[in-house]
Amino acid sequence: MEDPEEQKRKKKKELNWINDINPGKKAVEVGPYLGLGVQLAASIVLMFFLGYWLDGKLGTSPVLTILMSFLGGFAGIYNVIKTVLEINRKNKGEKGS
């Protein structure tokens, strides 16, 4: 069995990470990522409705709706990946300085 002092030290060490958290800094680091989900959803929804509208005008239902939805999804995913890579590259450059 461990002595009570050793248990206290271990417990204190486990809880020490709480003191290392800086809420302002964490919010700044996470902030740029927060809008990515909305951008992805918006690109899919907007392209869906554009395809739906074009299908109504051209009488090609549901071909353009499906195609435009996929195009919106691919464009949204491309934007998410591009943005995340840019942010990570920027953060890596700041930490290396």
Side-chain angles (χ1 to χ4, degrees):
M1 252 180 112
E2 294 181 12
D3 105 55
E5 289 300 316
E6 183 66 26
Q7 289 177 347
K8 284 181 185 178
R9 270 187 255 127
K10 281 187 178 181
K11 184 74 168 176
K12 188 174 181 179
K13 187 176 181 181
E14 289 173 7
L15 295 176
N16 196 28
W17 66 270
I18 294 173
N19 296 330
D20 295 336
I21 294 176
N22 182 345
K25 185 176 180 184
K26 297 293 181 189
V28 170
E29 290 175 1
V30 174
Y33 298 100
L34 294 177
L36 293 177
V38 174
Q39 290 177 8
L40 175 61
S43 68
I44 294 171
V45 170
L46 289 174
M47 293 303 279
F48 169 83
F49 282 112
L50 178 63
Y52 184 78
W53 179 77
L54 286 172
D55 275 337
K57 291 288 185 187
L58 302 174
T60 57
S61 186
V63 174
L64 291 176
T65 302
I66 294 169
L67 287 175
M68 296 302 270
S69 295
F70 278 112
L71 180 64
F74 291 133
I77 290 171
Y78 172 78
N79 184 45
V80 167
I81 292 170
K82 184 181 79 162
T83 304
V84 167
L85 290 175
E86 286 176 8
I87 293 170
N88 286 341
R89 193 175 305 121
K90 179 182 169 190
N91 287 342
K92 190 175 183 183
E94 288 176 359
K95 289 179 182 177
S97 298

